[in-house]
Amino acid sequence: MRVLGIESSCDETGLAVYDGKAGVLGEVLHSQAVLHSAYGGVVPELASRDHIRQISPLLAALLKQTNLSLTDIDAIAYTAGPGLVGALLVGATFARALAVAQTIPSLAINHLEAHLLTGLLIKPAPEFPFLALLVSGGHTLLVRADGIGQYVVLGRSCDDAAGECFDKIATLLGLTYPGGAKLARLAEEGNPKAIHFPRPMTAHNASLDFSFSGLKTSVAEWIAQHCNEKVDKDLPTQLRSDIAASFQEAVVDTIVWKCVRALKITGLTNLMIAGGVAANSRLRILLDTALSDINVDLFCPQPALCTDNGVMIAHAGWQRFNHQHHADVPNAAIEVFPRWPIEQPHAPI
Ligand code: KG4
Ligand code: ZN
Protein backbone atom coordinates (compact mmCIF):
# COMPACT_ATOMS: atom_id res chain seq x y z
CA MET A 1 0.00 0.00 0.00
CA ARG A 2 1.23 3.49 -0.92
CA VAL A 3 0.22 6.36 1.36
CA LEU A 4 0.53 10.07 0.61
CA GLY A 5 1.16 11.98 3.85
CA ILE A 6 0.40 15.67 4.32
CA GLU A 7 1.73 17.73 7.25
CA SER A 8 0.56 21.33 7.82
CA SER A 9 0.05 21.67 11.58
CA CYS A 10 2.37 24.62 12.13
CA ASP A 11 5.02 26.28 9.98
CA GLU A 12 6.16 23.46 7.71
CA THR A 13 4.30 22.16 4.67
CA GLY A 14 5.52 18.60 4.20
CA LEU A 15 4.37 15.90 1.79
CA ALA A 16 5.74 12.39 1.30
CA VAL A 17 4.86 8.98 -0.07
CA TYR A 18 5.41 5.89 2.06
CA ASP A 19 5.20 2.44 0.52
CA GLY A 20 4.64 -0.57 2.78
CA LYS A 21 7.28 -2.62 0.94
CA ALA A 22 9.80 -0.08 -0.37
CA GLY A 23 9.63 2.46 2.48
CA VAL A 24 9.90 6.21 1.79
CA LEU A 25 9.53 6.85 -1.96
CA GLY A 26 10.01 10.62 -1.83
CA GLU A 27 9.55 13.74 0.22
CA VAL A 28 9.12 17.50 -0.22
CA LEU A 29 9.24 20.12 2.52
CA HIS A 30 8.73 23.86 2.66
CA SER A 31 9.71 25.73 5.83
CA GLN A 32 8.08 29.06 6.71
CA ALA A 33 10.90 29.97 9.14
CA VAL A 34 11.91 33.08 7.18
CA LEU A 35 8.29 34.24 6.93
CA HIS A 36 7.81 34.19 10.71
CA SER A 37 11.29 35.17 11.90
CA ALA A 38 10.53 38.90 11.69
CA TYR A 39 7.74 38.40 14.25
CA GLY A 40 9.72 36.24 16.71
CA GLY A 41 7.24 33.38 16.47
CA VAL A 42 4.66 31.74 14.23
CA VAL A 43 1.86 34.07 13.06
CA PRO A 44 -1.11 31.69 12.56
CA GLU A 45 -2.82 33.61 9.76
CA LEU A 46 0.41 33.94 7.77
CA ALA A 47 1.04 30.23 8.30
CA SER A 48 -2.38 29.24 6.90
CA ARG A 49 -1.98 31.48 3.86
CA ASP A 50 1.46 30.11 3.10
CA HIS A 51 0.25 26.49 3.37
CA ILE A 52 -2.43 27.37 0.78
CA ARG A 53 0.24 28.83 -1.52
CA GLN A 54 2.63 25.91 -1.17
CA ILE A 55 0.56 22.76 -0.98
CA SER A 56 -0.41 22.24 -4.66
CA PRO A 57 3.04 23.00 -6.12
CA LEU A 58 4.59 20.73 -3.48
CA LEU A 59 2.32 17.85 -4.48
CA ALA A 60 3.27 18.39 -8.14
CA ALA A 61 6.98 18.40 -7.18
CA LEU A 62 6.55 15.22 -5.11
CA LEU A 63 4.83 13.37 -7.95
CA LYS A 64 7.59 14.46 -10.32
CA GLN A 65 10.34 13.46 -7.87
CA THR A 66 8.82 10.01 -7.29
CA ASN A 67 7.74 9.50 -10.88
CA LEU A 68 4.26 8.66 -9.61
CA SER A 69 0.83 9.83 -10.66
CA LEU A 70 -2.16 10.29 -8.36
CA THR A 71 -3.55 6.95 -9.53
CA ASP A 72 -0.51 5.25 -7.93
CA ILE A 73 -1.57 6.50 -4.47
CA ASP A 74 -3.76 4.12 -2.45
CA ALA A 75 -4.62 6.33 0.53
CA ILE A 76 -4.02 9.78 2.00
CA ALA A 77 -3.03 10.56 5.59
CA TYR A 78 -3.07 14.11 6.91
CA THR A 79 -2.32 15.83 10.21
CA ALA A 80 -5.65 16.60 11.90
CA GLY A 81 -4.20 17.81 15.22
CA PRO A 82 -2.83 19.03 17.49
CA GLY A 83 -1.74 22.29 15.89
CA LEU A 84 -2.93 25.65 14.58
CA VAL A 85 -6.53 25.37 13.48
CA GLY A 86 -6.20 27.33 10.22
CA ALA A 87 -2.99 25.56 9.22
CA LEU A 88 -4.51 22.16 9.97
CA LEU A 89 -7.61 23.00 7.94
CA VAL A 90 -5.54 23.69 4.83
CA GLY A 91 -3.94 20.22 4.88
CA ALA A 92 -7.14 18.47 5.94
CA THR A 93 -9.29 20.10 3.25
CA PHE A 94 -6.70 19.45 0.56
CA ALA A 95 -6.26 15.81 1.62
CA ARG A 96 -9.98 15.08 1.90
CA ALA A 97 -10.80 16.73 -1.43
CA LEU A 98 -8.02 14.81 -3.16
CA ALA A 99 -9.18 11.54 -1.60
CA VAL A 100 -12.79 12.10 -2.72
CA ALA A 101 -11.63 13.02 -6.24
CA GLN A 102 -9.45 9.90 -6.46
CA THR A 103 -12.01 7.70 -4.64
CA ILE A 104 -9.38 6.51 -2.17
CA PRO A 105 -9.58 6.51 1.65
CA SER A 106 -8.21 9.34 3.78
CA LEU A 107 -7.23 9.23 7.42
CA ALA A 108 -6.84 11.86 10.16
CA ILE A 109 -3.46 11.50 11.89
CA ASN A 110 -2.34 12.71 15.32
CA HIS A 111 0.85 14.76 14.84
CA LEU A 112 2.30 13.57 18.18
CA GLU A 113 1.71 9.92 17.33
CA ALA A 114 3.36 10.49 13.95
CA HIS A 115 6.47 11.94 15.69
CA LEU A 116 6.51 8.98 18.07
CA LEU A 117 6.24 6.38 15.31
CA THR A 118 9.22 7.76 13.33
CA GLY A 119 11.34 5.48 15.53
CA LEU A 120 9.85 2.52 13.67
CA LEU A 121 11.61 3.74 10.51
CA ILE A 122 14.98 2.96 12.11
CA LYS A 123 16.47 -0.39 11.11
CA PRO A 124 16.28 -2.50 13.22
CA ALA A 125 13.23 -0.79 14.76
CA PRO A 126 12.48 -0.87 18.49
CA GLU A 127 9.88 -3.42 19.52
CA PHE A 128 6.84 -2.52 21.58
CA PRO A 129 6.63 -1.75 24.43
CA PHE A 130 9.13 1.12 24.51
CA LEU A 131 9.53 4.46 26.22
CA ALA A 132 9.20 7.47 23.92
CA LEU A 133 10.53 10.93 24.66
CA LEU A 134 8.69 13.49 22.56
CA VAL A 135 10.34 16.91 22.72
CA SER A 136 9.11 19.52 20.25
CA GLY A 137 8.22 23.20 20.04
CA GLY A 138 4.78 22.61 21.52
CA HIS A 139 5.10 19.43 23.58
CA THR A 140 7.34 17.63 26.07
CA LEU A 141 6.05 14.14 26.77
CA LEU A 142 7.29 10.85 28.18
CA VAL A 143 5.09 8.11 26.78
CA ARG A 144 4.90 4.38 27.29
CA ALA A 145 4.09 2.97 23.84
CA ASP A 146 2.52 -0.49 24.04
CA GLY A 147 1.49 -0.75 20.38
CA ILE A 148 0.09 1.33 17.52
CA GLY A 149 -2.54 3.57 19.12
CA GLN A 150 -1.75 2.34 22.64
CA TYR A 151 -0.01 5.10 24.55
CA VAL A 152 0.17 6.03 28.22
CA VAL A 153 1.53 9.48 29.09
CA LEU A 154 3.91 9.15 32.06
CA GLY A 155 5.09 12.76 32.19
CA ARG A 156 4.41 16.04 30.46
CA SER A 157 5.42 19.68 30.61
CA CYS A 158 3.48 21.79 33.11
CA ASP A 159 4.42 24.99 31.26
CA ASP A 160 6.87 25.77 28.41
CA ALA A 161 7.77 22.89 26.09
CA ALA A 162 11.50 22.12 25.75
CA GLY A 163 11.66 23.53 22.20
CA GLU A 164 9.74 26.65 23.22
CA CYS A 165 12.30 27.22 25.99
CA PHE A 166 15.19 26.79 23.50
CA ASP A 167 13.50 29.30 21.16
CA LYS A 168 12.93 31.89 23.90
CA ILE A 169 16.51 31.77 25.21
CA ALA A 170 17.76 31.90 21.62
CA THR A 171 15.80 35.13 21.15
CA LEU A 172 17.47 36.55 24.29
CA LEU A 173 20.81 35.72 22.69
CA GLY A 174 19.89 37.61 19.52
CA LEU A 175 19.16 34.57 17.35
CA THR A 176 16.23 34.63 14.95
CA TYR A 177 13.16 32.40 15.35
CA PRO A 178 13.15 29.40 15.44
CA GLY A 179 16.39 29.53 17.40
CA GLY A 180 16.72 26.01 18.88
CA ALA A 181 19.16 24.65 16.29
CA LYS A 182 21.02 27.99 16.11
CA LEU A 183 21.45 28.02 19.89
CA ALA A 184 22.79 24.46 19.70
CA ARG A 185 25.39 25.59 17.14
CA LEU A 186 26.37 28.57 19.32
CA ALA A 187 26.70 26.21 22.30
CA GLU A 188 29.34 24.16 20.45
CA GLU A 189 31.84 26.98 21.10
CA GLY A 190 30.82 27.41 24.75
CA ASN A 191 31.63 25.87 28.12
CA PRO A 192 28.62 23.94 29.48
CA LYS A 193 30.00 24.30 33.03
CA ALA A 194 30.53 28.08 32.81
CA ILE A 195 27.25 28.93 34.58
CA HIS A 196 25.16 26.61 36.73
CA PHE A 197 21.49 26.89 35.83
CA PRO A 198 18.83 24.85 37.70
CA ARG A 199 17.75 21.35 36.60
CA PRO A 200 14.03 21.76 37.38
CA MET A 201 12.07 19.02 39.14
CA THR A 202 14.96 16.58 39.47
CA ALA A 203 14.90 16.25 43.27
CA HIS A 204 15.27 12.68 44.53
CA ASN A 205 11.70 11.42 44.00
CA ALA A 206 10.34 14.10 41.65
CA SER A 207 7.52 13.19 39.28
CA LEU A 208 8.07 12.54 35.57
CA ASP A 209 6.54 15.91 34.66
CA PHE A 210 8.68 18.75 33.32
CA SER A 211 8.73 22.48 34.03
CA PHE A 212 11.05 24.71 32.03
CA SER A 213 9.65 28.17 32.66
CA GLY A 214 11.68 28.67 35.90
CA LEU A 215 14.88 27.73 34.08
CA LYS A 216 14.03 30.22 31.35
CA THR A 217 13.52 32.98 33.97
CA SER A 218 16.76 32.05 35.70
CA VAL A 219 18.73 32.44 32.43
CA ALA A 220 17.03 35.78 31.72
CA GLU A 221 17.83 37.02 35.24
CA TRP A 222 21.45 35.88 35.02
CA ILE A 223 21.87 37.84 31.81
CA ALA A 224 20.19 40.91 33.31
CA GLN A 225 22.43 40.78 36.42
CA HIS A 226 25.77 39.97 34.82
CA CYS A 227 25.75 41.76 31.50
CA ASN A 228 25.89 45.49 31.07
CA GLU A 229 25.47 45.14 27.35
CA LYS A 230 22.12 44.81 25.64
CA VAL A 231 20.68 41.31 26.15
CA ASP A 232 21.20 40.21 22.58
CA LYS A 233 23.83 39.73 19.94
CA ASP A 234 25.90 42.65 21.30
CA LEU A 235 27.05 40.40 24.13
CA PRO A 236 30.66 39.23 23.72
CA THR A 237 30.75 36.10 21.55
CA GLN A 238 32.36 33.82 24.16
CA LEU A 239 29.86 34.87 26.80
CA ARG A 240 26.92 34.17 24.45
CA SER A 241 28.37 30.74 23.68
CA ASP A 242 28.89 30.00 27.40
CA ILE A 243 25.31 31.03 28.23
CA ALA A 244 23.99 28.90 25.35
CA ALA A 245 26.08 25.87 26.35
CA SER A 246 25.20 26.18 30.06
CA PHE A 247 21.49 26.59 29.33
CA GLN A 248 21.50 23.67 26.88
CA GLU A 249 23.30 21.51 29.45
CA ALA A 250 20.62 22.29 32.06
CA VAL A 251 17.76 21.35 29.70
CA VAL A 252 19.51 18.23 28.44
CA ASP A 253 20.54 17.08 31.95
CA THR A 254 16.94 17.49 33.07
CA ILE A 255 15.55 15.51 30.13
CA VAL A 256 18.14 12.74 30.60
CA TRP A 257 17.33 12.55 34.34
CA LYS A 258 13.61 12.19 33.59
CA CYS A 259 14.22 9.51 30.95
CA VAL A 260 16.44 7.45 33.26
CA ARG A 261 13.88 7.73 36.05
CA ALA A 262 11.04 6.70 33.73
CA LEU A 263 13.07 3.71 32.49
CA LYS A 264 13.82 2.62 36.06
CA ILE A 265 10.16 2.97 37.11
CA THR A 266 8.74 1.14 34.07
CA GLY A 267 11.54 -1.39 33.59
CA LEU A 268 11.43 -0.69 29.83
CA THR A 269 14.69 -1.35 27.99
CA ASN A 270 14.20 0.69 24.79
CA LEU A 271 14.05 4.48 24.55
CA MET A 272 12.93 6.20 21.36
CA ILE A 273 13.32 9.95 20.95
CA ALA A 274 11.30 12.19 18.63
CA GLY A 275 10.35 15.82 17.92
CA GLY A 276 12.48 18.83 16.94
CA VAL A 277 14.60 18.91 20.11
CA ALA A 278 15.50 15.24 19.55
CA ALA A 279 17.71 16.56 16.73
CA ASN A 280 19.92 18.16 19.42
CA SER A 281 23.31 16.45 19.34
CA ARG A 282 24.18 17.17 22.99
CA LEU A 283 20.94 15.44 24.02
CA ARG A 284 21.83 12.43 21.89
CA ILE A 285 25.36 12.24 23.35
CA LEU A 286 24.31 12.55 27.01
CA LEU A 287 21.40 10.12 26.58
CA ASP A 288 23.70 7.63 24.92
CA THR A 289 26.15 7.82 27.82
CA ALA A 290 23.46 7.58 30.50
CA LEU A 291 21.66 4.67 28.85
CA SER A 292 24.74 2.58 28.21
CA ASP A 293 25.27 2.56 32.01
CA ILE A 294 21.83 0.98 32.56
CA ASN A 295 21.72 -1.33 29.52
CA VAL A 296 18.95 0.49 27.68
CA ASP A 297 18.97 0.77 23.87
CA LEU A 298 18.55 4.25 22.41
CA PHE A 299 16.73 4.77 19.10
CA CYS A 300 17.29 8.16 17.44
CA PRO A 301 15.66 8.92 14.08
CA GLN A 302 17.90 10.94 11.75
CA PRO A 303 17.70 14.69 12.64
CA ALA A 304 15.66 15.60 9.52
CA LEU A 305 12.96 13.18 10.65
CA CYS A 306 12.84 14.68 14.16
CA THR A 307 11.57 18.08 13.01
CA ASP A 308 8.18 18.34 11.29
CA ASN A 309 7.96 16.60 7.90
CA GLY A 310 5.60 14.73 5.59
CA VAL A 311 7.35 11.35 5.95
CA MET A 312 6.18 10.95 9.54
CA ILE A 313 2.55 11.49 8.50
CA ALA A 314 2.73 9.15 5.49
CA HIS A 315 4.39 6.49 7.64
CA ALA A 316 1.94 6.90 10.56
CA GLY A 317 -0.90 6.68 8.03
CA TRP A 318 0.51 3.44 6.63
CA GLN A 319 0.86 2.00 10.14
CA ARG A 320 -2.71 2.98 10.94
CA PHE A 321 -4.16 1.57 7.72
CA ASN A 322 -2.11 -1.58 8.25
CA HIS A 323 -3.64 -1.97 11.70
CA GLN A 324 -7.16 -1.72 10.31
CA HIS A 325 -7.76 1.75 11.65
CA HIS A 326 -10.98 3.05 10.08
CA ALA A 327 -10.65 5.62 7.32
CA ASP A 328 -12.56 8.92 7.28
CA VAL A 329 -16.19 8.71 6.22
CA PRO A 330 -16.05 10.28 2.71
CA ASN A 331 -19.05 12.57 3.06
CA ALA A 332 -18.53 13.54 6.69
CA ALA A 333 -17.53 17.08 7.68
CA ILE A 334 -13.83 17.94 7.53
CA GLU A 335 -12.73 18.39 11.13
CA VAL A 336 -9.42 19.26 12.76
CA PHE A 337 -8.49 19.18 16.43
CA PRO A 338 -6.17 21.91 17.76
CA ARG A 339 -5.95 19.81 20.95
CA TRP A 340 -5.76 16.06 20.48
CA PRO A 341 -4.09 14.15 23.36
CA ILE A 342 -1.87 11.29 22.19
CA GLU A 343 -3.64 8.87 24.59
CA GLN A 344 -6.84 9.28 22.56
CA PRO A 345 -6.42 6.69 19.78
CA HIS A 346 -9.08 8.13 17.46
CA ALA A 347 -9.83 11.67 16.37
CA PRO A 348 -11.84 13.30 19.20
CA ILE A 349 -15.10 13.74 17.26
O1 KG4 B 1 8.85 18.93 16.10
P1 KG4 B 1 9.06 20.33 15.61
O2 KG4 B 1 9.66 20.52 14.25
O3 KG4 B 1 7.73 21.14 15.61
C1 KG4 B 1 6.74 20.99 16.56
O4 KG4 B 1 5.93 20.03 16.44
O5 KG4 B 1 6.76 21.81 17.51
O6 KG4 B 1 9.96 21.04 16.72
C2 KG4 B 1 10.39 22.35 16.55
C3 KG4 B 1 11.19 22.75 17.78
C4 KG4 B 1 11.55 24.23 17.77
O7 KG4 B 1 11.31 24.74 19.08
C5 KG4 B 1 13.03 24.21 17.43
O8 KG4 B 1 13.74 25.32 17.91
C6 KG4 B 1 13.47 22.94 18.11
O9 KG4 B 1 12.43 22.02 17.85
N1 KG4 B 1 14.75 22.42 17.58
C7 KG4 B 1 15.86 22.26 18.34
C8 KG4 B 1 16.86 21.76 17.47
N2 KG4 B 1 16.32 21.63 16.21
C9 KG4 B 1 15.02 22.04 16.32
N3 KG4 B 1 16.09 22.50 19.64
C10 KG4 B 1 17.34 22.22 20.11
N4 KG4 B 1 18.34 21.76 19.34
C11 KG4 B 1 18.16 21.49 18.03
N5 KG4 B 1 19.16 21.02 17.28
ZN1 ZN C 1 6.07 18.45 15.43
Side-chain angles (χ1 to χ4, degrees):
M1 179 182 217
R2 252 180 228 145
V3 181
L4 167 67
I6 300 178
E7 156 62 25
S8 72
S9 66
C10 190
D11 57 348
E12 258 103 23
T13 326
L15 285 81
V17 181
Y18 185 83
D19 179 290
K21 289 202 180 86
V24 181
L25 297 186
E27 175 192 13
V28 287
L29 185 69
H30 171 78
S31 165
Q32 304 177 353
V34 174
L35 181 69
H36 300 292
S37 67
Y39 303 93
V42 177
V43 183
E45 180 61 23
L46 293 183
S48 315
R49 288 172 191 229
D50 199 55
H51 286 305
I52 293 172
R53 267 194 298 274
Q54 301 297 336
I55 202 160
S56 278
L58 281 173
L59 176 62
L62 177 66
L63 294 175
K64 194 168 174 205
Q65 180 197 111
T66 53
N67 217 5
L68 294 172
S69 79
L70 281 175
T71 51
D72 298 316
I73 304 291
D74 301 309
I76 303 180
Y78 61 93
T79 308
L84 302 171
V85 67
L88 289 167
L89 273 170
V90 176
T93 312
F94 187 82
R96 292 286 299 275
L98 203 57
V100 168
Q102 295 299 119
T103 56
I104 54 175
S106 62
L107 189 59
I109 295 294
N110 182 310
H111 181 88
L112 302 175
E113 179 185 32
H115 268 306
L116 185 149
L117 295 179
T118 49
L120 300 186
L121 290 165
I122 298 170
K123 290 192 175 52
E127 288 188 5
F128 291 111
F130 56 79
L131 181 72
L133 167 75
L134 217 160
V135 271
S136 70
H139 297 87
T140 309
L141 294 174
L142 269 170
V143 180
R144 181 193 164 98
D146 289 311
I148 304 290
Q150 296 170 37
Y151 313 113
V152 181
V153 175
L154 305 173
R156 52 165 40 99
S157 172
C158 312
D159 39 56
D160 294 29
E164 191 179 355
C165 194
F166 262 94
D167 292 338
K168 287 178 177 167
I169 299 303
T171 304
L172 284 183
L173 295 173
L175 303 167
T176 54
Y177 179 87
K182 293 166 198 153
L183 186 148
R185 274 197 296 278
L186 188 63
E188 282 168 20
E189 309 302 320
N191 173 7
K193 291 195 166 75
I195 309 157
H196 183 80
F197 292 122
R199 275 67 173 153
M201 294 171 73
T202 56
H204 177 57
N205 54 358
S207 80
L208 295 176
D209 289 334
F210 299 81
S211 168
F212 289 116
S213 85
L215 168 61
K216 184 188 65 188
T217 306
S218 148
V219 178
E221 281 178 354
W222 193 97
I223 294 173
Q225 280 167 14
H226 293 83
C227 310
N228 294 324
E229 297 86 349
K230 254 176 47 213
V231 184
D232 65 8
K233 60 180 175 301
D234 296 340
L235 287 174
T237 308
Q238 190 55 48
L239 182 57
R240 283 173 75 227
S241 298
D242 285 348
I243 296 169
S246 302
F247 156 75
Q248 175 176 264
E249 201 75 352
V251 176
V252 168
D253 270 354
T254 305
I255 295 174
V256 172
W257 191 94
K258 296 280 177 184
C259 289
V260 170
R261 183 158 167 76
L263 289 161
K264 283 185 178 158
I265 290 172
T266 58
L268 294 169
T269 53
N270 288 334
L271 173 67
M272 213 283 298
I273 62 172
V277 181
N280 185 280
S281 49
R282 188 72 183 150
L283 175 64
R284 289 167 176 244
I285 290 167
L286 293 193
L287 267 178
D288 200 39
T289 310
L291 299 197
S292 58
D293 289 348
I294 55 170
N295 283 326
V296 170
D297 290 325
L298 176 63
F299 294 84
C300 302
Q302 61 189 80
L305 284 183
C306 290
T307 45
D308 290 351
N309 63 81
V311 171
M312 67 188 210
I313 306 301
H315 168 252
W318 179 80
Q319 290 283 3
R320 281 288 187 166
F321 279 114
N322 215 22
H323 286 80
Q324 317 289 314
H325 186 96
H326 298 295
D328 292 327
V329 180
N331 297 326
I334 297 169
E335 288 193 85
V336 294
F337 313 97
R339 289 178 190 277
W340 179 359
I342 193 170
E343 306 96 305
Q344 211 163 330
H346 303 283
I349 299 170

